[in-house]
Amino acid sequence: MKKTLFSVCMLCLSAVAMAQPAGGFGGFQIPQVKLETSQEWKDVNYAGDDQAYHTCDIYLPKQEKASYPVVIHIYGSAWFSNSSKGAADLGTIVKSLLDAGFAVVCPNHRSSMDAKWPAQIHDIRAVIRFVRGEAKKYKFDTKFIATSGFSSGGHLASTAATTSGTKQTKVGTVDIDLEGNVGNFLNESSAVNAACDWSGPIDLTAMDCGESMKMGENSPEDVLLNSKLAKEPDKYLSLSATTYVDKNDPPVIIFHGEKDNVVPCCQGKMFYETLKAAGVKTEATFVPEGGHGMGMYAEENLQKMVNFLKALIK
């Protein structure tokens, strides 16, 4: 039953993505969450174009300061939605970050229907450069910028971290441009200081490592890459955050549910072990009764995230 409901949700998100107009309102909204903020900006275009999938929402904490450390939090949609920033865990992750004194940026990004990989990481890197380029206007303290995300958003947040500082590389037979040329701040750095991975698919060559949802003939990663693992395995390696892990990566905190039947928990466990083996600072929480988002946002876990990030600032 849960799998059926999730499939319906994904189809709805796909419909929203394909129906999204080029300009104007850029945020698919679920019932409103009241956040305590000092300032908010909605539908800010981070790319300097008229595309709604290149907009973000910006939230500043209630306590006013000259500047704030920044977390870019990315929604989950199996990469099918280009307009779900208004549903980006506002009442849980975003609220906790704001309450802890972080500015939060929730961006849209191109869906797998709009463009194929690596367009999505190009968009996230454009958001990071935008944060640096518009720091004065939005009171961003660019000494600390982290990425965070749930599900496919966790994938993008994690990949932004493990590729931090790498603009272009070769993965097997695939030459991959990880930086892109989106936006007006191409001279700014797209490096990050940390990442939070909430239930993200990390190694896209091993999605069968545990019980996971079957989504028909084409998986979300097949759609994103317009390929099949057996046909072009290097493409799937280029999509995997684990491919790029090295000792220079910024710290990463991982949360995954042991009963996640959409993205198997072994994805989070493999990520944790890979980071540890490389000497990257990391922490992981695997929730025994946690599902794909369900049962994951206990106050204890949200506080672990906040403590992890705050310790890095100190």
Side-chain angles (χ1 to χ4, degrees):
M1 182 63 177
K2 286 182 180 177
K3 293 183 180 182
T4 302
L5 289 173
F6 185 79
S7 297
V8 172
C9 289
M10 288 299 97
L11 288 172
C12 290
L13 286 171
S14 297
V16 170
M18 289 184 283
Q20 180 64 47
F25 178 70
F28 170 58
Q29 302 285 337
I30 58 172
Q32 290 291 313
V33 175
K34 179 61 178 174
L35 297 171
E36 292 190 338
T37 61
S38 58
Q39 286 183 279
E40 298 181 12
W41 293 265
K42 298 294 180 70
D43 298 325
V44 177
N45 192 290
Y46 61 81
D49 59 22
D50 64 350
Q51 300 299 318
Y53 53 54
H54 280 155
T55 57
C56 64
D57 296 341
I58 300 168
Y59 306 92
L60 300 187
K62 184 178 181 180
Q63 183 179 357
E64 293 193 48
K65 292 185 177 181
S67 64
Y68 307 88
V70 184
V71 179
I72 297 163
H73 184 68
I74 309 160
Y75 58 81
S77 71
W79 307 284
F80 284 136
S81 175
N82 65 6
S83 56
S84 291
K85 61 183 172 61
D89 310 291
L90 299 185
T92 52
I93 295 169
V94 172
K95 181 182 184 301
S96 293
L97 291 167
L98 284 169
D99 290 348
F102 292 91
V104 182
V105 179
C106 295
N108 284 336
H109 60 76
R110 282 173 287 179
S111 72
S112 55
M113 305 298 179
D114 299 308
K116 302 307 177 186
W117 179 257
Q120 293 69 30
I121 197 66
H122 291 173
D123 289 350
I124 299 309
R125 287 196 163 198
V127 177
I128 299 164
R129 295 193 302 266
F130 169 85
V131 165
R132 289 193 165 93
E134 294 285 15
K136 185 175 181 180
K137 179 176 180 179
Y138 296 107
K139 299 183 181 181
F140 296 141
D141 180 355
T142 59
K143 292 193 296 293
F144 188 85
I145 302 172
T147 48
S148 172
F150 165 68
S151 195
S152 61
H155 162 266
L156 292 173
S158 300
T159 306
T162 63
T163 64
S164 189
T166 302
K167 294 189 175 184
Q168 191 158 354
T169 192
K170 188 162 187 172
V171 179
T173 59
V174 175
D175 287 305
I176 183 165
D177 171 15
L178 294 162
E179 189 72 21
N181 59 359
V182 177
N184 298 323
F185 299 103
L186 299 178
N187 292 327
E188 297 289 348
S189 170
S190 61
V192 294
N193 301 99
C196 306
D197 166 34
W198 292 85
S199 311
I202 299 298
D203 183 348
L204 280 303
T205 70
M207 288 299 290
D208 59 354
C209 64
E211 182 187 356
S212 62
M213 184 179 178
K214 308 302 180 198
M215 296 188 75
E217 183 180 348
N218 295 309
S219 69
E221 57 269 26
D222 292 344
V223 177
L224 184 61
L225 293 168
N226 192 29
S227 191
K228 294 287 185 183
L229 178 59
K231 180 182 176 184
E232 296 182 289
D234 289 347
K235 275 193 175 183
Y236 290 74
L237 283 171
S238 80
L239 181 61
S240 301
T242 45
T243 295
Y244 307 100
V245 170
D246 66 41
K247 64 181 181 180
N248 299 314
D249 291 344
V252 179
I253 188 167
I254 300 162
F255 298 90
H256 216 120
E258 295 271 8
K259 293 188 176 179
D260 190 328
N261 67 349
V262 179
V263 177
C265 188
C266 43
Q267 286 284 307
K269 292 181 176 179
M270 285 191 296
F271 193 26
Y272 178 61
E273 294 300 331
T274 302
L275 291 167
K276 275 205 312 181
V280 178
K281 180 178 176 61
T282 184
E283 292 181 13
T285 297
F286 303 112
V287 181
E289 298 300 316
H292 196 62
M294 286 75 75
M296 293 299 297
Y297 302 123
E299 185 59 36
E300 178 185 4
N301 290 340
L302 295 170
Q303 194 59 51
K304 282 182 182 179
M305 171 189 67
V306 166
N307 291 346
F308 183 82
L309 296 177
K310 279 194 164 184
L312 297 175
I313 296 173
K314 292 177 181 177

